[in-house]
Amino acid sequence: MENLSCNKSFGGWNKQYSHHSQTLNCTMRFAIYLPPQASTGQKVPALYWLSGLTCTDENFMHKAGAQRIAAELGMAIIAPDTSPRGDEVADADGYDLGKGAGFYVNATQAPWNAHYQMYDYVLNELPALVESMFPVNDQRAIAGHSMGGHGALVLALRNPQRFASVSAFSPISNPVNCPWGKKALGAYLGKDTASWADYDASLLMHQASDFVPALVDQGEADDFLAEQLKPDTLGAAARHSGYPLQLNRHEGYDHSYYFIASFIEQHLRFHAAHLGLQP
């Protein structure tokens, strides 16, 4: 690993690293916030944050204002990039496919399958790397925004034993039925739409029987609300299966990091309670 930056923040350290990913077959970058408790030799639990379309590992760390509360709680935050990068990595015109738009799936179709294995990277390779190199234990929560909210929900729903809790801001909740999802899943997974169901949070939640506590916040002034995000479908799925989903709707809030920054403290405290960091 190569350390790219290091900045002290609220008594802890915000760092950025690059490393070669065997899963993605390219050089990847991630950011990590280590709270002050991690400097005492204590291993701390971690929240993995998955960002949305066009974002990198930097957006959340720079804009969400999460470090103050993470420092108080003793929680590490790990933010991977949103897709593989590099000259050899396949790309597409537009912002909603290719670099910056990995959708946290394991691609099966060429040319994407050579590098776009973000599901396995976030689930396995990145936590193994972080837990071997930093004072971070194997207690994990996961969260994300938009495309990253979709990724967080899918990873938690499919791997309830790996995550203590999951939360999302404005997630793409039913990608098999929205334009962003149809474009990405069709390219990465192919024309067999049956395979798409493995990456649809609403479909997974509808049939779930092993639960991870879930929190979702959605702004009512979000330009993508009806066509792309479909939180009502997610809510209906939770009611069907009895899933422990807290779905909050907020008047006037949009899809931006102003929304995330307004409610990130509630999300961190939600995860802290399930990670055993507070009563």
Side-chain angles (χ1 to χ4, degrees):
M1 284 199 308
E2 180 183 359
N3 180 225
L4 303 176
S5 66
C6 183
N7 303 94
K8 195 164 188 179
S9 179
F10 295 99
W13 292 95
N14 208 94
K15 301 183 179 186
Q16 188 182 52
Y17 289 88
S18 67
H19 73 105
H20 178 76
S21 166
Q22 293 184 339
T23 303
L24 303 176
N25 193 27
C26 66
T27 298
M28 284 297 286
R29 202 174 68 185
F30 70 91
I32 182 168
Y33 177 70
L34 293 168
Q37 294 86 343
S39 298
T40 66
Q42 173 184 347
K43 286 193 172 186
V44 299
L47 174 67
Y48 288 80
W49 174 270
L50 308 183
S51 290
L53 287 167
T54 75
C55 292
T56 70
D57 59 294
E58 295 182 328
N59 295 74
F60 180 80
M61 293 301 198
H62 288 182
K63 296 180 179 180
Q67 288 89 343
R68 178 178 64 85
I69 303 302
E72 174 195 327
L73 296 171
M75 178 190 299
I77 300 174
I78 295 96
D81 202 347
T82 50
S83 77
R85 307 276 181 173
D87 294 341
E88 73 281 11
V89 173
D91 201 5
D93 294 333
Y95 69 93
D96 53 355
L97 186 67
K99 295 177 186 177
F103 269 81
Y104 305 101
V105 304
N106 285 339
T108 59
Q109 304 299 301
W112 311 105
N113 56 350
H115 298 283
Y116 285 75
Q117 307 293 317
M118 288 296 295
Y119 178 91
D120 279 352
Y121 176 72
V122 173
L123 180 65
N124 296 315
E125 185 178 11
L126 184 59
L129 177 66
V130 167
E131 290 162 19
S132 69
M133 298 296 294
F134 301 99
V136 173
N137 63 35
D138 61 1
Q139 292 179 277
R140 310 176 195 97
I142 192 165
H145 171 231
S146 193
M147 177 186 74
H150 138 79
L153 288 168
V154 166
L155 280 153
L157 284 159
R158 289 178 58 178
N159 304 277
Q161 74 285 357
R162 296 292 299 275
F163 299 102
S165 51
V166 58
S167 73
F169 289 88
S170 316
I172 303 172
S173 296
N174 187 208
V176 304
N177 288 316
C178 78
W180 279 343
K182 290 179 180 179
K183 181 177 180 179
L185 298 180
Y188 295 142
L189 304 179
K191 295 180 180 179
D192 179 10
T193 57
S195 66
W196 300 6
D198 289 340
Y199 297 101
D200 187 293
S202 292
L203 297 180
L204 292 168
M205 191 170 284
H206 187 273
Q207 64 186 19
S209 58
D210 196 355
F211 300 151
V212 176
L215 169 64
V216 171
D217 280 287
Q218 175 63 58
E220 294 286 7
D222 193 317
D223 289 340
F224 306 112
L225 179 59
E227 184 179 34
Q228 303 283 11
L229 306 181
K230 302 186 181 298
D232 290 337
T233 305
L234 188 71
R239 289 190 294 274
H240 173 83
S241 64
Y243 205 92
L245 170 67
Q246 180 181 343
L247 176 57
N248 302 319
R249 309 287 285 259
H250 301 277
E251 182 180 356
Y253 286 92
D254 58 19
H255 200 71
S256 72
Y257 264 84
Y258 294 109
F259 175 43
I260 295 171
S262 298
F263 295 97
I264 191 61
E265 179 173 350
Q266 289 91 322
H267 281 240
L268 293 184
R269 294 193 185 281
F270 167 80
H271 291 297
H274 294 289
L275 290 167
L277 291 175
Q278 62 184 27

